[in-house]
Amino acid sequence: MPTLAYYYIWFNPTSWSRAKIDYPLLGRYSSDDATIMERHIRWAKAAGIRGFLVSWKSTPVLDARLATLRGVAAAEGFKLGIVYQGLDFHRHPLPVDTVQHDLAQLAERYGDDPVFRIFDRPLVVWSGTWQFSTDEIIQATAGVRSRLLVLASAKNVKDYERVHGAVDGDAYYWSSVDPRTNTRYRDKLVAMSAAVHARGGLWIAPAAPGFDARLIGGKEVVDRRDGQTLREEMAAAAASSPDAIGVISWNEFSENTYIEPSTGLGDTALRLWPSLRDAGRTSASA
């Protein structure tokens, strides 16, 4: 069962002046920098993380950054998947023709690339499927499913069951849950896993170290509790019998879910990883 981390390539030096309370140990970097990518991958590999799930939409800047990251990952023997951002800045769905074109572009560029073979085909998580009709999802995915594994991002069993025939599984991005107060959290992951697996799909379960998005308009705060939140969320994810765990996140510094070493927290999260892997194996076999 691979552990993957959600990874963002949208950073410019000016990004760090907005809505941040902590900063990377590597400095206020640009996501164009291959040396930063290399350090990230080496840190992740040393911790036992097998790959990054890379946030992407088709723009010249992000296309170039993804190509650079792909080259670094190939040199380091590291895996990549794609999180396709199907919603615009205002959280409205992109035109379905745009999504169809972008998925076809991914299939053409990376469909045969071993860097993207976490599973038997390159993995693409379509973020925002809940904003698209079932017919739109069928239209966008029909031409690429022989070359890509396209996962929905449904947040509950009902929504997954609505779209399951047009996708190859589900990856739930649940960054703001508090395992101390949500008594149904673990049961929900188990139920979603059962629904996905009953239909032959892949299930990527979420786990986060904490959450605080108040500087970008959020209200929820989940304290890291010196790593205890991450321990509990990794154990809950593993208990749902996932095909992979999606750690939220490597470097989402606006929502404060990052595990990348930082000036404020150091490498605390990465130093936890050996014990987290052991806890995950225990939970999965229980």
Side-chain angles (χ1 to χ4, degrees):
M1 177 185 65
T3 299
L4 312 169
Y6 288 85
Y7 187 82
Y8 297 93
I9 55 173
W10 57 39
F11 293 106
N12 299 310
T14 56
S15 304
W16 303 102
S17 62
R18 300 188 300 273
K20 305 295 187 293
I21 59 175
D22 196 6
Y23 302 94
L25 200 60
L26 295 175
R28 302 183 186 194
Y29 55 74
S30 171
S31 294
D32 297 297
D33 191 334
T35 62
I36 295 292
M37 296 174 180
E38 181 181 74
R39 183 68 66 86
H40 286 169
I41 287 173
R42 290 182 178 181
W43 273 339
K45 284 177 62 179
I49 295 168
R50 185 178 172 190
F52 287 151
L53 297 173
V54 186
S55 179
W56 174 83
K57 61 178 64 177
S58 184
T59 70
V61 170
L62 295 184
D63 289 351
R65 289 175 177 177
L66 179 60
T68 300
L69 180 62
R70 181 263 163 215
V72 176
E76 296 293 327
F78 195 68
K79 297 297 184 181
L80 300 176
I82 298 293
V83 179
Y84 176 71
Q85 297 297 333
L87 307 181
D88 66 19
F89 180 79
H90 301 289
R91 309 299 290 168
H92 298 143
L94 298 178
V96 67
D97 289 346
T98 298
V99 179
Q100 184 177 13
H101 172 271
D102 293 346
L103 293 179
Q105 176 182 316
L106 286 174
E108 180 63 27
R109 290 182 179 176
Y110 300 117
D112 299 317
D113 192 331
V115 170
F116 291 85
R117 294 290 179 107
I118 299 170
F119 299 102
D120 66 316
R121 282 166 280 157
L123 177 69
V124 180
V125 177
W126 178 349
S127 179
T129 49
W130 61 87
Q131 289 274 49
F132 293 82
S133 72
T134 304
D135 286 344
E136 287 174 325
I137 295 172
I138 291 171
Q139 176 185 331
T141 62
V144 298
R145 288 180 67 192
S146 64
R147 301 192 68 189
L148 303 176
L149 290 166
V150 183
L151 273 57
S153 51
K155 302 177 182 181
N156 54 61
V157 168
K158 183 178 180 180
D159 192 45
Y160 179 72
E161 290 179 339
R162 175 182 71 88
V163 303
H164 76 88
V167 295
D168 300 292
D170 195 67
Y172 185 12
Y173 194 97
W174 198 2
S175 56
S176 60
V177 66
D178 191 335
R180 295 174 300 176
T181 59
N182 190 325
T183 58
R184 301 179 65 185
Y185 157 61
R186 184 181 290 239
D187 290 343
K188 182 176 182 179
L189 296 187
V190 169
M192 291 189 69
S193 173
V196 173
H197 286 151
R199 291 156 180 81
L202 292 171
W203 163 241
I204 299 182
F211 182 86
D212 183 351
R214 287 175 292 180
L215 291 183
I216 55 172
K219 296 180 180 179
E220 298 287 339
V221 177
V222 181
D223 193 275
R224 291 181 179 241
R225 294 184 290 148
D226 295 321
Q228 185 59 24
T229 295
L230 185 56
R231 290 187 186 93
E232 292 178 11
E233 294 205 16
M234 286 288 287
S240 73
S241 303
D243 298 285
I245 293 178
V247 178
I248 307 168
S249 61
W250 181 263
N251 59 344
E252 223 300 9
F253 278 82
S254 293
E255 294 185 350
N256 292 286
T257 61
Y258 55 89
I259 60 172
E260 177 184 351
S262 70
T263 57
L265 298 175
D267 64 348
T268 302
L270 294 187
R271 285 191 285 106
L272 287 172
W273 228 259
S275 64
L276 293 175
R277 292 200 306 272
D278 292 343
R281 282 192 288 266
T282 299
S283 296
S285 62

